[in-house]
Amino acid sequence: METFLLQAAIYLGAGVIAVLIAHRLGLGSVLGYLLAGVAIAPLLEMVGSHTQDVQHFAEFGVVIMLFLVGLELQPRLLWDMRVRLIGLGGLQVLVTALALGGGLAVGMDWRVAVALGLILSLSSTAIVLQTLGEKGWLRSEGGQSAFSVLLFQDVAVIPMLALMPLLALSTGTGEVPVAGSLTMEGVDAHGVEESLIMHLPAWGQALMTLGAVVLVILVGRYLTRPMFRAIGRTGLHEIFFAASLLLVISISLLMGWVGLSAALGTFLAGVVLADSEYRHELVSVLEPFKGLLLGVFFITVGAGMQFNLLAQSPGLILGLVLALILVKGVILWGLAVAFRIHGHARWLFTFSLAQSGEFGFVLLTYAVGVRVLPDHIANITGLVVALSMMATPLIMIVFERWVSPHVTRSRGAPREADDIEEEAPVIIAGMGRFGQIVQRLLVMDGQRPVVLDNSPAHIESLRKFGIRVYYGDALRPGLLEAAGISKARLLIVATDNQERAIELVRHVKQRYPQIRVIARAASREHVYRLRAAGADSAVRELFGSSLEVGRQALEYLGRSSAQAERKIKAFAAHDEESLQQLFEVWDADTDLFDNEAYMERARSRVVSLAELMADDAEEQLES
């Protein structure tokens, strides 16, 4: 027990410290976990902890992650992805395996080359989905395309495992090992160990597999709802958590018994439950557990890296890692072009999948067991896989900081900006939900603002409602001039891209200082940055609606309409005054929590608000 607690303390302590440092440096949690694993590897060796054993347990986080992803996808959306799921995913695996295998076949046995090509064609489901989720890119076109490929790869692991024994090298007795002769230690969370139905005839295996899939769908649709409803009546949160884990574990076991991927089975269950009223509760109880297991998994990957091999042949190992990333990147780029993935989505798709993945370790272990790969080749390949996974967060940082700001975020083919045929006193940049409300209010007052937006699909949908919107980037030279900025009185910056909003405000105020600029802000700090850029007014997008909810809450709790309105106005005035006072001590180059002057003044404003509310309460008593 003490050994287990010591190992848990090492893993958790390293993870917490490394992720805090990584976030502070803007590197992301995945890279933090990987570096934590590298740092604690000597310590784990001293206490006798085997990362492989922990990794088998931690891989269950991948299973839970795909269950949660499935909860976000309704069956109709999955059907819409079918072309990219099968076509894009299938071609990615096939073309990458042929390219890598063909290149390696020049200097080694063709069977070894084929096995390595298949292993290296896979990407990291855990790292990619975790990173895309953290950055909010999973629902974008590039994120959905990457997800389609990852899901196909998870399914493709099963036929790859079946193929490995057929590639086996001679045993010296004229026999070739078969899959059933391999005994794998531990239970792999992805369901790749020997299945219970493998000795059945082919038609029996197919029937049992189909039956398992149908059972998952029926359980998800008809059994889980009454089960969770009964549990909900108890009011015991821990029972709901236990039932959620039981559901995921049961499906994982069932998929393993029929030789399918546990990740695929739980993903399917998540899709079935996507329209369930318990979807949000399932996400809330499983999300922390998933995050913890994935963190431990990434730590084990970092701790298991064989740096002695890197020290022996650094040029060879690093060259192979770079070659792998470049070859996969070129193939992914070509597939993105073929499937008409454009702009920002194409770059995101290419950068996110240009590594190998955790299934590579599973296939490597299996390939060595059935004598497809010699030990020394498997060891080098394992290090290349681990280093490519470790490089992924760095690749995504390059994409986010240097590539993403300079590519077009469009769903269709790039197009030229529209010719603007009118001028008006008001220009609105950004026609999302925020901009639409502003535009409708101005139109109701008789104004005809010139509206700009850079989403072709969004513009076409707005035009169907008779709303005139011009396509174009407001920062593009000449577009604002064509919209009549020199004669306009007011510019409303309603875009949801915070950095672009700041850049647009600064651009306009430098060239047209007489124009009044009102900007949409996402947070208090965004308000400060917009004001520093020159905005005359920065309005937080949720502030007004939050005040309205507060006003209704006060009335429901017994305050009169007049009392509630007075409190809301007093709070709003105090908050605006606080914004101005805090802006005076705000420093763009210093984190808010490290700015002592800012924190001191913020604390004093909290005290002044409490005094204001106390004075208001006394006035109510006196009246």
Side-chain angles (χ1 to χ4, degrees):
M1 184 63 179
E2 289 184 1
T3 303
F4 170 77
L5 292 177
L6 177 60
Q7 293 181 25
I10 293 172
Y11 277 102
L12 296 177
V16 169
I17 295 171
V19 170
L20 286 175
I21 296 173
H23 267 280
R24 187 64 179 272
L25 298 176
L27 301 179
S29 63
V30 174
L31 185 56
Y33 286 126
L34 290 170
L35 293 175
V38 173
I40 67 172
L43 184 59
L44 292 175
E45 189 173 345
M46 289 174 57
V47 300
S49 175
H50 301 290
T51 57
Q52 294 87 349
D53 297 336
V54 178
Q55 195 171 60
H56 281 305
F57 168 73
E59 281 175 347
F60 190 62
V62 181
V63 174
I64 298 179
M65 176 177 63
L66 280 172
F67 177 69
L68 296 178
V69 169
L71 286 174
E72 300 297 325
L73 289 174
Q74 295 181 350
R76 178 182 59 80
L77 297 177
L78 192 61
W79 176 253
D80 291 341
M81 295 167 54
R82 66 190 184 281
V83 173
R84 291 184 177 177
L85 179 64
I86 300 174
L88 185 59
L91 282 175
Q92 185 276 326
V93 171
L94 178 62
V95 175
T96 306
L98 288 175
L100 294 173
L104 294 169
V106 176
M108 60 179 61
D109 188 285
W110 69 269
R111 292 166 295 184
V112 174
V114 170
L116 291 177
L118 292 173
I119 291 169
L120 296 175
S121 69
L122 304 176
S123 302
S124 175
T125 300
I127 290 181
V128 175
L129 292 188
Q130 178 82 352
T131 303
L132 293 178
E134 280 185 1
K135 302 296 183 182
W137 293 331
L138 188 56
R139 288 185 172 274
S140 67
E141 183 187 11
Q144 288 294 287
S145 298
F147 170 71
S148 299
V149 171
L150 290 169
L151 184 58
F152 183 89
Q153 289 178 357
D154 288 349
V155 178
V157 170
I158 306 304
M160 287 182 187
L161 286 164
L163 180 63
M164 286 297 174
L166 302 180
L167 299 173
L169 302 175
S170 173
T171 63
T173 62
E175 298 180 353
V176 173
V178 295
S181 68
L182 175 66
T183 301
M184 296 181 67
E185 296 181 1
V187 179
D188 178 48
H190 302 292
V192 297
E193 77 268 16
E194 182 177 343
S195 69
L196 297 181
I197 65 171
M198 65 175 299
H199 301 295
L200 295 176
W203 64 267
Q205 293 185 31
L207 191 62
M208 292 294 290
T209 301
L210 180 61
V213 173
V214 172
L215 181 61
V216 169
I217 295 174
L218 292 177
V219 168
R221 184 164 293 276
Y222 298 109
L223 182 61
T224 55
R225 281 181 171 85
M227 179 183 72
F228 285 129
R229 190 178 301 117
I231 293 172
R233 294 194 190 101
T234 67
L236 299 174
H237 189 74
E238 63 273 17
I239 301 300
F240 195 98
F241 175 62
S244 303
L245 276 182
L246 174 63
L247 175 65
V248 176
I249 292 172
S250 300
I251 294 173
S252 300
L253 287 172
L254 177 62
M255 291 296 105
W257 289 338
V258 299
L260 289 178
S261 164
L264 174 63
T266 50
F267 171 77
L268 179 61
V271 172
V272 174
L273 289 169
D275 58 352
S276 167
E277 62 270 29
Y278 299 101
R279 177 170 66 90
H280 297 292
E281 184 71 12
L282 285 167
V283 172
S284 66
V285 299
L286 291 178
E287 184 71 34
F289 193 65
K290 179 264 295 185
L292 177 62
L293 287 178
L294 282 180
V296 174
F297 170 75
F298 295 137
I299 292 175
T300 62
V301 171
M305 294 177 66
Q306 300 184 34
F307 284 102
N308 59 321
L309 289 177
L310 183 60
Q312 294 171 11
S313 307
L316 173 65
I317 301 297
L318 295 178
L320 290 173
V321 173
L322 182 60
L324 172 65
I325 293 173
L326 289 177
V327 170
K328 293 191 76 170
V330 170
I331 293 172
L332 289 164
W333 175 268
L335 290 173
V337 173
F339 279 80
R340 299 180 180 180
I341 303 173
H342 298 283
H344 182 273
R346 180 185 299 174
W347 288 94
L348 176 60
F349 174 75
T350 301
F351 273 70
S352 62
L353 296 177
Q355 79 290 109
S356 192
E358 58 276 353
F359 275 119
F361 299 120
V362 176
L363 288 171
L364 278 171
T365 303
Y366 191 78
V368 171
V370 296
R371 298 174 190 167
V372 176
L373 296 179
D375 287 341
H376 69 282
I377 292 180
N379 290 336
I380 292 175
T381 305
L383 184 57
V384 170
V385 169
L387 285 173
S388 73
M389 291 173 65
M390 194 169 183
T392 303
L394 296 175
I395 294 173
M396 296 307 293
I397 289 172
V398 172
F399 167 77
E400 183 179 15
R401 294 186 180 179
W402 289 287
V403 177
S404 181
H406 302 290
V407 295
T408 305
R409 294 177 179 268
S410 63
R411 293 182 61 86
R415 57 181 272 188
E416 294 294 325
D418 293 337
D419 294 327
I420 301 177
E421 304 168 352
E422 58 183 317
E423 293 182 355
V426 182
I427 299 174
I428 301 177
M431 198 53 176
R433 288 172 294 179
F434 189 95
Q436 288 178 48
I437 294 174
V438 176
Q439 186 264 354
R440 286 161 57 191
L441 182 59
L442 291 173
V443 169
M444 188 180 72
D445 187 54
Q447 305 290 334
R448 296 278 298 182
V450 175
V451 182
L452 309 173
D453 198 274
N454 62 355
S455 170
H458 187 49
I459 288 172
E460 293 305 320
S461 64
L462 290 172
R463 286 176 176 173
K464 292 178 182 178
F465 291 96
I467 301 174
R468 191 162 195 175
V469 185
Y470 294 101
Y471 171 76
D473 184 353
L475 283 169
R476 187 181 67 83
L479 185 66
L480 282 175
E481 286 75 7
I485 187 71
S486 60
K487 300 177 183 177
R489 297 171 52 197
L490 175 63
L491 171 67
I492 298 173
V493 180
T495 178
D496 59 357
N497 188 313
Q498 297 184 33
E499 297 302 325
R500 300 286 284 176
I502 294 167
E503 192 176 350
L504 179 56
V505 170
R506 185 178 296 114
H507 169 80
V508 170
K509 276 299 185 178
Q510 285 176 351
R511 289 164 177 77
Y512 308 99
Q514 78 282 3
I515 300 294
R516 183 171 182 82
V517 176
I518 303 175
R520 167 191 184 179
S523 63
R524 297 180 75 93
E525 188 168 7
H526 194 209
V527 170
Y528 304 148
R529 298 176 68 194
L530 286 166
R531 288 189 176 181
D536 298 284
S537 176
V539 181
R540 283 163 289 168
E541 54 192 2
L542 298 178
F543 187 66
S545 55
S546 300
L547 289 180
E548 175 59 22
V549 171
R551 184 187 64 78
Q552 292 186 24
L554 289 173
E555 290 183 9
Y556 179 78
L557 294 173
R559 302 296 184 215
S560 66
S561 297
Q563 290 174 330
E565 188 66 26
R566 185 174 70 249
K567 285 183 177 292
I568 293 299
K569 286 183 177 179
F571 179 87
H574 181 274
D575 189 79
E576 181 60 33
E577 183 181 307
S578 297
L579 272 176
Q580 182 57 40
Q581 291 192 15
L582 291 171
F583 177 59
E584 293 171 359
V585 293
W586 171 74
D587 183 356
D589 298 323
T590 306
D591 186 274
L592 289 183
F593 298 105
D594 294 332
N595 187 332
E596 290 296 332
Y598 182 93
M599 296 303 295
E600 181 62 31
R601 188 165 295 188
R603 286 189 286 266
S604 71
R605 296 304 299 173
V606 172
V607 173
S608 68
L609 177 62
E611 293 173 349
L612 177 65
M613 292 297 106
D615 292 343
D616 183 76
E618 290 181 7
E619 290 179 9
Q620 289 183 27
L621 290 174
E622 293 174 359
S623 61

